[in-house]
Amino acid sequence: MNLQTGFIVNYTSPAIGFCLITGLLLFQIFKKRSPSLKTLGNLIKIFIGFLISFAVLLSILNYFTWKNDPVSQRLLPPYTSFTYVLHYSWQHYLFEPVVTILFALIIFKTITLLNKKFNNTFFYDE
């Protein structure tokens, strides 16, 4: 992976997340209220979609780079199956966003269940 691609991979998702959080904070400061739950849910779905689609895009670009590069054609044997590319893509591009999203959902559901168990002691609707 060249330097530009490494920069894009390592800094795009955190930068988009930072911009999203900063935008929500500025909205709350200037409007003097929090965004609606529907808006927040839509923003979370868009961000999750971005993370997954970005990882899939990088996987596709990686495959075409390997397919068209004469050096990689000589390094990978001709009998290498497509599952090798899928395994590589899972390991390098898809694993991190999928595990991050699943862990966030598990933590959110755990917090919700604990809040219900203790009669909305920790968090309440404003």
Side-chain angles (χ1 to χ4, degrees), residues 1-20:
M1 188 179 331
N2 60 18
L3 186 61
Q4 292 87 7
T5 308
F7 178 79
I8 290 170
V9 169
N10 291 331
Y11 296 109
T12 302
S13 296
I16 297 288
F18 177 75
C19 292
L20 182 68

Side-chain angles (χ1 to χ4, degrees), residues 4 15 33 47 54 68 87 124:
Q4 292 87 7
R33 64 177 175 83
F47 188 64
F54 187 67
N68 297 327
H87 178 71
Y124 55 90

Side-chain angles (χ1 to χ4, degrees), residues 5 8-10 12-13 48-59 93-94:
T5 308
I8 290 170
V9 169
N10 291 331
T12 302
S13 296
I48 288 173
F50 168 77
L51 289 177
I52 299 298
S53 62
F54 187 67
V56 169
L57 174 70
L58 288 176
S59 300
Y93 303 120
L94 294 166

